Amino acid sequence: MEKIKAMITAIWGALMSFFGILAIPVILLVCCNVIDYVTGLVASKYRNEQLDSYKGIKGIAKKICMWLLVAVGAIVDALLSYASSAVGISLPFTFLIACVVAIWLVCNELLSILENINDIGVALPPFLQPVVENLKSKVEDKTVEEREDK
């Protein structure tokens, strides 16, 4: 049992070290993906939709593509880091673009989870959806501002 704990701790530590600041948004994204998928399956019954393996595979592919978007963000970050170091500029951040992409995707997933829960028939607190929508728009606004400043 101790060896298993040590192995899990080592793997967890290696992942956290590798992903750095991106670890928490990626973990949240994966958790939200799973929750959204499960609540979507449950909500389909309440929407009078039939479970369909094609729709299920399409949903899983969509979640994997979300992870690929974060990977694209990480690649852009690596290119920015490489280009800036080539000209002698040291960037004070790592995985900035990937974090913004992951946070935006988490907000989308949270909105989808809220819709699924609402379709199941659970009353949502009136402040919750506007808070998530506001967070998403803040992320979008911040990225637009950064683009316009350049």
Side-chain angles (χ1 to χ4, degrees), residues 10 24 32 53 60 63 65 80 91 95 97 111 118 122-123 141:
I24 299 301
C32 286
S53 61
I60 291 170
K63 305 300 182 196
C65 286
L80 287 172
L91 295 178
F95 295 128
I97 305 298
L111 289 172
N118 191 45
V122 177
D141 292 347

Side-chain angles (χ1 to χ4, degrees), residues 25-141:
V26 166
I27 291 168
L28 289 174
L29 178 61
V30 171
C31 290
C32 286
N33 286 152
V34 171
I35 293 168
D36 182 47
Y37 190 78
V38 171
T39 58
L41 289 175
V42 174
S44 69
K45 177 184 174 194
Y46 293 90
R47 295 177 185 140
N48 294 322
E49 296 175 356
Q50 286 188 332
L51 291 179
D52 182 349
S53 61
Y54 175 74
K55 283 183 182 179
I57 291 171
K58 187 177 170 184
I60 291 170
K62 188 175 175 183
K63 305 300 182 196
I64 292 171
C65 286
M66 289 180 184
W67 304 342
L68 292 175
L69 278 175
V70 175
V72 167
I75 291 168
V76 170
D77 285 324
L79 289 172
L80 287 172
S81 177
Y82 174 77
S84 64
S85 67
V87 294
I89 299 171
S90 176
L91 295 178
F93 56 81
T94 57
F95 295 128
L96 177 66
I97 305 298
C99 279
V100 171
V101 169
I103 291 168
W104 187 82
L105 290 169
V106 166
C107 290
N108 277 341
E109 288 293 274
L110 290 174
L111 289 172
S112 180
I113 291 166
L114 291 176
E115 289 171 5
N116 292 339
I117 290 172
N118 191 45
D119 288 349
I120 291 169
V122 177
L124 298 176
F127 65 86
L128 194 53
Q129 189 155 353
V131 167
V132 176
E133 288 173 352
N134 188 29
L135 177 61
K136 180 182 173 191
S137 69
K138 291 288 183 199
V139 170
E140 289 172 351
D141 292 347

